[in-house]
Amino acid sequence: MTTKLTIRRPDDWHLHLRDGAMLAAVLPETARHFARAIIMPNLVPPVVTSGDAAAYRDRIMAALPEGMSFEPLMTLYLTEDTDPADVAAAHASGLVKAVKLYPAGVTTNSASGVTNFDKVRPVLEKMAEIGLPLCIHGEVTTDHVDIFDREKVFLETVLDPLRRATPGLKVTLEHVTTAQGIDYVRESEGDIAGTITTHHLMINRNHILVGGIKPHYYCLPVAKRREHMEALRKAATSGNSRFFLGTDSAPHTDALKENACGCAGCFTATNTMSCLAHVFEEEGALDKLEAFASLNGPARYGLPANKNTISLVKEEIPVTYPEKIAAGDETVTVFDPGHPLYWRVT
Ligand code: NCD
Ligand code: ZN
């Protein structure tokens, strides 16, 4: 039985760091284990221009505690007014590694997202030309589409037409939550990849709703039926280079989560590596953890894998993590998979 595993230091290809006191609180949680992360731009106001991204990167680096190293990989929030020339310059300077597309209204702070996809066509064409990836929150926002079907419907009605209209565009379907999303990423032609979160490998919709409503399991896209979780686990542990880790660790204060209208987001930065080792061991695929967390993502972004390593050791007694971390005067609850974890990062 494997009880020790050494892998290249992992990266997180979808992370929310926020700003101010929250940024200061959550950044060390990621930097402790991860070398780099794709930083989501859904601040209020969003990170839209190269100037916004440069300023945000500086705030992140200023919040990094002494002695820790971390490289934020910045993204731009795509709006109907985004200037293709600004995007190209931000890419050429090395500042920006991806552009993020939120359909307007789809999730937290997405009001400035895209409603009319024709309006962003010139940006997408420029991105295809220069090889800059588009990260997509893949859900429709149509009222009459059931929330559990919004990813599946997006694949057919938005993603596939968008990719056909812009051949050569590098697309990452983020936080895939359905078997249909997995099949689409695995089987479709062209330049496509998918990120998978930690929590979607461990919870399904029963975890949110059975025995009382669990606000800390509510995130977007919402966790689906168990069979979808199983499809995600198979894809993540397959070694297929199209799939890699994007935790979507998305901190909100407890006051905003434990609320009559609770915010979407699971905060998994603190214990992600223990959670992933647990899942990969259950799937008999510990040998694939490095590909998922440390190799496939950099390869996709044309970056080298990290040179240094982390080790995970399986303990006899459960590894404990704080139930909450402090953020200014408030608290943020750490994702609780609902069972003990035994893999500790050394
Ligand atoms: C994210 C957030 O809180 O910013 N929430 C979430 O549930 N994942 C937004 C997002 O990525 O959808
Ligand atoms: Zn997210």
Side-chain angles (χ1 to χ4, degrees):
M1 192 181 80
T2 310
T3 55
K4 182 165 183 204
L5 191 66
T6 297
I7 61 170
R8 299 287 193 118
R9 198 167 186 82
D11 303 303
D12 184 349
W13 300 93
H14 180 135
L15 176 68
H16 298 269
L17 286 177
R18 317 297 192 203
D19 222 336
M22 185 65 92
L23 167 62
V26 300
L27 178 58
E29 300 300 296
T30 286
R32 196 172 295 132
H33 298 156
F34 293 85
R36 300 171 286 196
I38 283 277
I39 309 301
M40 285 296 120
N42 63 331
L43 305 182
V44 189
V47 178
V48 174
T49 65
S50 54
D52 299 339
Y56 187 30
R57 183 191 53 190
D58 291 348
R59 296 199 298 281
I60 295 169
M61 293 317 288
L64 190 67
E66 281 282 321
M68 284 190 130
S69 67
F70 178 71
E71 185 185 355
L73 307 174
M74 306 310 292
T75 63
L76 297 178
Y77 185 120
L78 182 62
T79 72
E80 293 180 3
D81 300 320
T82 295
D83 174 7
D86 184 54
V87 171
H91 172 250
S93 73
L95 170 67
V96 154
K97 295 289 186 281
V99 170
K100 173 74 187 230
L101 187 162
Y102 290 101
V106 76
T107 188
T108 314
N109 306 335
S110 60
S112 326
V114 177
T115 305
N116 180 350
F117 286 85
D118 288 333
K119 291 212 174 136
V120 296
R121 183 87 46 227
V123 182
L124 301 184
E125 276 164 10
K126 176 55 79 180
M127 290 171 61
E129 184 192 316
I130 63 181
L132 182 61
L134 180 70
C135 294
I136 301 187
H137 184 119
E139 290 189 285
V140 295
T141 51
T142 331
D143 265 353
H144 68 259
V145 178
D146 189 275
I147 191 163
F148 292 98
D149 296 332
R150 288 180 174 197
E151 179 174 297
K152 183 181 72 178
V153 172
F154 184 89
L155 303 173
E156 298 150 9
T157 62
V158 182
L159 182 59
D160 210 54
L162 180 143
R163 292 185 62 235
R164 284 177 200 284
T166 320
L169 183 65
K170 281 172 92 78
V171 168
T172 305
L173 180 64
E174 301 196 280
H175 39 52
V176 182
T177 58
T178 57
Q180 291 87 351
I182 293 295
D183 289 347
Y184 185 88
V185 170
R186 194 196 294 112
E187 284 154 29
S188 65
E189 284 176 23
D191 202 333
I192 180 122
T195 60
I196 301 177
T197 76
T198 310
H199 48 285
H200 288 118
L201 295 172
M202 301 187 102
I203 61 165
N204 57 67
R205 67 194 203 178
N206 277 9
H207 292 81
I208 309 172
L209 295 169
V210 173
I213 191 159
K214 315 291 190 322
H216 295 290
Y217 290 152
Y218 173 62
C219 66
L220 288 170
V222 70
K224 310 296 191 295
R225 289 174 180 275
R226 184 183 179 91
E227 65 217 51
H228 294 286
M229 180 184 78
E230 283 163 2
L232 298 175
R233 290 172 75 116
K234 290 281 168 288
T237 59
S238 67
N240 184 328
S241 63
R242 287 189 171 188
F243 296 105
F244 48 90
L245 175 65
T247 65
D248 197 11
S249 179
H252 293 279
T253 64
D254 286 329
L256 290 175
K257 291 289 292 175
E258 298 166 13
N259 188 296
C261 183
C263 289
C266 296
F267 176 63
T268 54
T270 306
N271 58 359
T272 275
M273 291 313 298
S274 292
C275 287
L276 290 178
H278 185 98
V279 168
F280 277 64
E281 183 179 40
E282 279 183 344
E283 295 293 322
L286 276 173
D287 60 325
K288 300 291 195 309
L289 180 59
E290 184 177 45
F292 181 68
S294 315
L295 303 179
N296 296 347
R300 164 83 179 155
Y301 277 84
L303 296 169
N306 295 309
K307 287 210 171 51
N308 48 6
T309 58
I310 62 166
S311 293
L312 290 133
V313 175
K314 190 169 184 191
E315 306 282 8
E316 300 278 326
I317 49 165
V319 183
T320 54
Y321 285 97
E323 192 191 328
K324 297 170 189 296
I325 64 160
D329 297 336
E330 312 220 54
T331 55
V332 177
T333 293
V334 175
F335 175 70
D336 173 5
H339 52 69
L341 297 168
Y342 294 91
W343 287 92
R344 183 167 60 82
V345 181
T346 62

